[in-house]
Amino acid sequence: MLNTTQTRTTFKWGKGAALALALTFGMALAGCGNNAGSNAAANAAAASNGGNNASSNTAAASASASTDTDSSSNTTAASTDKKLTVYSAGPEGLATKLIEGYEAKTGVKVEMFQGTTGKILARMEAEKSNPVADVVILASLPSAQGLKDEGLTLPYPEAVNADKLNPDWSDADGNYFSTSASALGIAYNTKLVKTPPTSWEDLTKPEFKDQVNIPDPSLSGSALDFMTGYLSVKGDSGWSLFENFKKNGVAMAGANQEALDPVITGAKGVVAAAVDYMTYSSKAKGEPVDIVYPKDGTVISPRPAAILKSTQHEANAKAFIDYLLSDEAQKMVTDAYLLPGRTDIKADNRANLDEIPQFKVDWDYMNKNGADITEKFTQMFK
């Protein structure tokens, strides 16, 4: 059970991406809002999470004493309380491996809630009077910016290997660390689509009529990153692309995996703003899918990790951040087909950052306008 004197934090989600995602699930999860135990929190989340199950990691890891350090990563020594609660968006397999690796290095027992960025933010909102999470890993940089802006993060500028991170993806003061990233592309069924599209506008052509899914930005932080990033570059005129998508029968189809699954089965031909690591993973399993990055540019969606100011396990949380930035953890990231957060590490199973055409996005615009863009987009595609 968490200490009953735990710091009480008031959330004041602004007009940014955090609000856009959190409000989607806030009412659904409100009944879980005052849960004081991390086990109960994870179990309650499992009931509300549907296809994105929460999981309490059960790996038995007693390998190292709390004073041990990782010779390759210099992981900060964890404290003697041996507890940590992590809310993680992103590949469940990767999250589990990272938890197991950290537990083995430190002997700390981790409780994990696995869900989309939207569900994590909503859970935090529901728990605002009695915070549970120590560390959050999100799939949207503007959402982490929102946490920082509201004073909810604990800076850790001395994190090991933080100086090797992509500076555009992480906070200079150590409020969040993007330890991985994905790129948004156009995923397609290779049996149905013989000539892959090469631009976003291609998806408005007659040959793609009623064949395209796009993830719901209220459920997918990365989809919201794409929409806000695209509009930060194109301005209000950029809405014409989404209007033409709608006219051509593009369907808003749940979170990222829900949008991709019909393309894997052949019920649809294409996903716009597809998360690339999911496509690479499915392709590696023999599914008839592939991905292209439009020549006109796309958005990279960093995946930031942050320590929450309300943590009751600060030393353990800092050791976890150090582990995420270690050589060992970054290898796990690339094995999961994600872009590594560290600039000195390259992936050998996917396109690297310098091979992907990118928009020069305005992250401040994305953070400030996320809620309004989500509302307008979802109304447009209802």
Side-chain angles (χ1 to χ4, degrees):
M1 299 293 288
L2 295 178
N3 192 315
T4 56
T5 62
Q6 183 172 16
T7 302
R8 291 176 178 260
T9 304
T10 301
F11 282 47
K12 302 176 182 176
W13 303 114
K15 291 286 287 181
L19 173 66
L21 290 162
L23 290 184
T24 306
F25 295 98
M27 293 183 66
L29 295 181
C32 305
N34 294 316
N35 198 330
S38 59
N39 263 327
N43 293 336
S48 66
N49 198 14
N52 294 288
N53 290 333
S55 59
S56 294
N57 189 281
T58 56
S62 57
S64 300
S66 63
T67 55
D68 287 350
T69 57
D70 176 14
S71 59
S72 65
S73 66
N74 297 318
T75 303
T76 299
S79 62
T80 57
D81 60 12
K82 301 292 187 180
K83 295 178 183 178
L84 191 71
T85 299
V86 176
Y87 288 3
S88 176
E92 185 171 0
L94 172 61
T96 299
K97 289 178 181 178
L98 290 169
I99 295 299
E100 289 174 345
Y102 168 75
E103 288 181 329
K105 293 290 184 186
T106 63
V108 172
K109 176 61 181 174
V110 177
E111 296 289 346
M112 180 174 67
F113 166 59
Q114 174 80 27
T116 64
T117 295
K119 291 182 179 180
I120 287 171
L121 294 175
R123 186 161 193 84
M124 292 170 62
E125 170 69 9
E127 295 169 346
K128 63 184 179 182
S129 64
N130 190 16
V132 174
D134 298 299
V135 176
V136 293
I137 304 173
L138 305 175
S140 170
L141 182 59
S143 296
Q145 290 176 317
L147 296 180
K148 175 191 172 182
D149 291 346
E150 294 301 333
L152 300 176
T153 54
L154 180 71
Y156 180 36
E158 64 273 24
V160 179
N161 290 320
D163 59 324
K164 298 176 182 177
L165 290 173
N166 187 319
D168 294 333
W169 299 351
S170 297
D171 180 57
D173 298 322
N175 285 280
Y176 54 82
F177 309 85
S178 290
T179 61
S180 65
S182 60
L184 287 306
I186 299 174
Y188 63 96
N189 184 298
T190 55
K191 294 181 178 179
L192 298 178
V193 179
K194 299 305 181 184
T195 304
T198 60
S199 71
W200 299 110
E201 291 288 347
D202 281 352
L203 300 181
T204 68
K205 293 179 177 179
E207 56 261 42
F208 293 109
K209 176 74 174 177
D210 299 326
Q211 282 298 304
V212 182
N213 279 343
I214 192 166
D216 182 340
S218 70
L219 302 178
S220 165
S222 55
L224 181 58
D225 281 358
F226 169 73
M227 293 159 196
T228 55
Y230 183 84
L231 292 168
S232 79
V233 173
K234 302 293 184 179
D236 286 343
S237 64
W239 281 105
S240 63
L241 174 70
F242 302 128
E243 290 165 356
N244 290 332
F245 276 5
K246 178 64 174 177
K247 291 175 184 176
N248 209 39
V250 173
M252 188 171 65
N256 299 311
Q257 193 65 55
E258 287 84 354
L260 180 62
D261 284 341
V263 173
I264 292 174
T265 63
K268 291 276 189 173
V270 173
V271 180
V275 178
D276 61 356
Y277 74 84
M278 291 184 176
T279 308
Y280 286 121
S281 178
S282 296
K283 180 181 178 181
K285 295 174 184 175
E287 301 291 359
V289 291
D290 209 341
I291 193 163
V292 294
Y293 302 104
K295 60 186 180 183
D296 42 328
T298 190
V299 176
I300 304 296
S301 184
R303 308 172 66 81
I307 302 171
L308 297 178
K309 186 176 289 185
S310 57
T311 180
Q312 297 295 294
H313 309 101
E314 180 177 335
N316 296 348
K318 289 181 175 179
F320 185 70
I321 294 296
D322 287 344
Y323 181 72
L324 293 180
L325 303 184
S326 69
D327 292 356
E328 178 177 294
Q330 288 290 288
K331 177 63 165 57
M332 294 179 191
V333 165
T334 60
D335 287 347
Y337 303 97
L338 282 156
L339 290 164
R342 280 173 44 181
T343 58
D344 60 328
I345 294 176
K346 298 292 184 182
D348 59 8
N349 55 3
R350 53 153 299 137
N352 279 288
L353 194 61
D354 58 0
E355 302 171 282
I356 301 172
Q358 297 173 56
F359 291 130
K360 189 172 179 58
V361 301
D362 183 341
W363 290 107
D364 288 334
Y365 170 94
M366 294 162 69
N367 182 31
K368 293 174 182 176
N369 292 280
D372 291 338
I373 290 170
T374 297
E375 182 178 3
K376 183 173 180 177
F377 187 91
T378 53
Q379 287 293 326
M380 182 185 296
F381 278 81
K382 275 188 175 179

